Amino acid sequence: MTTEQRDDSARNTVFGEVADLYDAVRRDYPAELVSEVLRYADPGDRGAVEIGAGTGKATVAFAERGVPIVCVEPDPRMAELLRRKTAGYPGVRIEQAGFESWERDGRTFGLLFAATAWHWVPEEVRWDLAYAALAPGGAVALFWNHHGVMDPEMHAGLAEIDARYELTFTPHTMAGWNMSDTIEPPDGDESVWSSQEALMRGRFTDLRDLRFKTPVHYPTKRYIDYLTSISAYRIMSAEARAAVQAEVAALLDAHGGGIEMVTRSDLLLARVV
């Protein structure tokens, strides 16, 4: 089945259509991850710049630790919610722009971080921009939340639905992971950075990969709300989105009214030479 989709040229700003829902259903990042970033980067009074801050799912966690942050966010609807959430943190400044068009005005930072947002910055410019934004010895921290479905039968059923609707990059892509070893390097990967090394060569060093895992249960309705916040579903027509979500809901209800998943938070760290 082929589903009608809107033009996804602005796919990185479709989340603003459901900014409040996005903020409510998206997973936070582990406190241990934030601690690892700050232990590695130690930005001090040089502060941090966050790329694609969204509604502040990561921003608040760093602001609570006293880190001054300049938040760069392209979508005005996400930025407005971010302003409300960070109103109590005087060290947070919000600047509405995409990273590639952001006016840095000569400022440099001790830390540049991006939470499930780095892939939206054009690959051909992002490392040049990151290098320019960092003070000597400054650090890059990139992290993502991935989901893995624990029940193999449910995973197969969801994959079948995805295939019928030609959906890719959904939370159903991966099966669940063993929960042993909460923090570890990526399994079997020489380095998650390997595909980026040519762009980073001579400018970044001390590359590190860390991984955190958290079990999570979604009741059916909350999971459908979560899917509504995913770009693969946002760019579908309303009719197609409703149809696929009805099928997913029926599958979850047939398996007890929810889904067991593991959230895998991957953290990539590097330092300016």
Side-chain angles (χ1 to χ4, degrees):
M1 175 185 296
T2 301
T3 62
E4 177 189 353
Q5 292 187 339
R6 295 179 297 169
D7 178 11
D8 66 352
S9 59
R11 188 166 176 165
N12 62 330
T13 56
V14 296
F15 309 109
E17 298 171 348
V18 287
D20 289 292
L21 179 68
Y22 179 103
D23 191 60
V25 300
R26 288 295 185 107
R27 297 281 293 170
D28 292 332
Y29 296 92
E32 298 87 348
L33 182 152
V34 177
S35 296
E36 287 290 337
V37 171
L38 294 179
R39 186 179 300 116
Y40 177 90
D42 190 20
D45 58 8
R46 298 177 302 175
V49 57
E50 181 181 7
I51 308 308
T55 65
K57 300 302 288 186
T59 315
V60 171
F62 284 88
E64 287 176 339
R65 308 287 185 101
V67 179
I69 310 169
V70 172
C71 300
V72 180
E73 168 54 43
D75 190 290
R77 299 158 297 186
M78 303 288 269
E80 179 55 33
L81 179 52
L82 179 60
R83 287 188 185 94
R84 298 200 303 268
K85 285 184 63 176
T86 58
Y89 300 98
V92 174
R93 176 187 175 93
I94 299 159
E95 300 184 7
Q96 189 188 317
F99 188 30
E100 60 272 30
S101 60
W102 173 53
E103 295 182 3
R104 185 170 54 85
D105 296 329
R107 292 169 290 178
T108 58
F109 302 86
L111 169 65
L112 180 149
F113 69 94
T116 317
W118 192 240
H119 57 295
W120 296 120
V121 184
E123 184 173 10
E124 64 271 16
V125 300
R126 59 193 179 196
W127 288 110
D128 292 335
L129 294 172
Y131 183 78
L134 287 167
V140 172
L142 310 177
F143 42 98
W144 297 262
N145 279 342
H146 305 282
H147 287 71
V149 182
M150 297 304 296
D151 183 336
E153 181 180 346
M154 175 140 349
H155 180 247
L158 290 168
E160 181 181 339
I161 294 172
D162 283 355
R164 283 205 309 277
Y165 286 87
E166 299 181 0
L167 287 164
T168 57
F169 303 109
T170 77
H172 315 143
T173 303
M174 303 176 184
W177 302 278
N178 190 317
M179 280 297 298
S180 64
D181 300 326
T182 303
I183 181 169
E184 61 182 19
D187 303 321
D189 293 345
E190 178 181 348
S191 172
V192 177
W193 291 108
S194 58
S195 65
Q196 302 293 308
E197 285 177 357
L199 297 171
M200 300 170 66
R201 189 172 297 127
R203 297 182 294 177
F204 295 88
T205 187
D206 193 19
L207 277 54
R208 302 185 190 180
D209 307 330
L210 300 173
R211 177 169 289 171
F212 306 80
K213 298 172 185 172
T214 309
V216 58
H217 170 79
Y218 286 97
T220 298
K221 183 182 183 306
R222 185 168 180 83
Y223 191 67
I224 296 304
D225 286 345
Y226 170 60
L227 294 186
T228 302
S229 79
I230 302 291
S231 64
Y233 298 87
R234 296 268 11 112
I235 65 172
M236 299 176 80
S237 68
E239 295 77 10
R241 184 166 59 246
V244 69
Q245 290 181 333
E247 291 197 35
V248 171
L251 179 62
L252 267 60
D253 286 342
H255 285 75
I259 184 170
E260 302 294 333
M261 305 186 85
V262 169
T263 299
R264 193 188 78 195
S265 304
D266 286 341
L267 168 63
L268 310 180
L269 297 165
R271 195 182 309 282
V272 169
V273 173

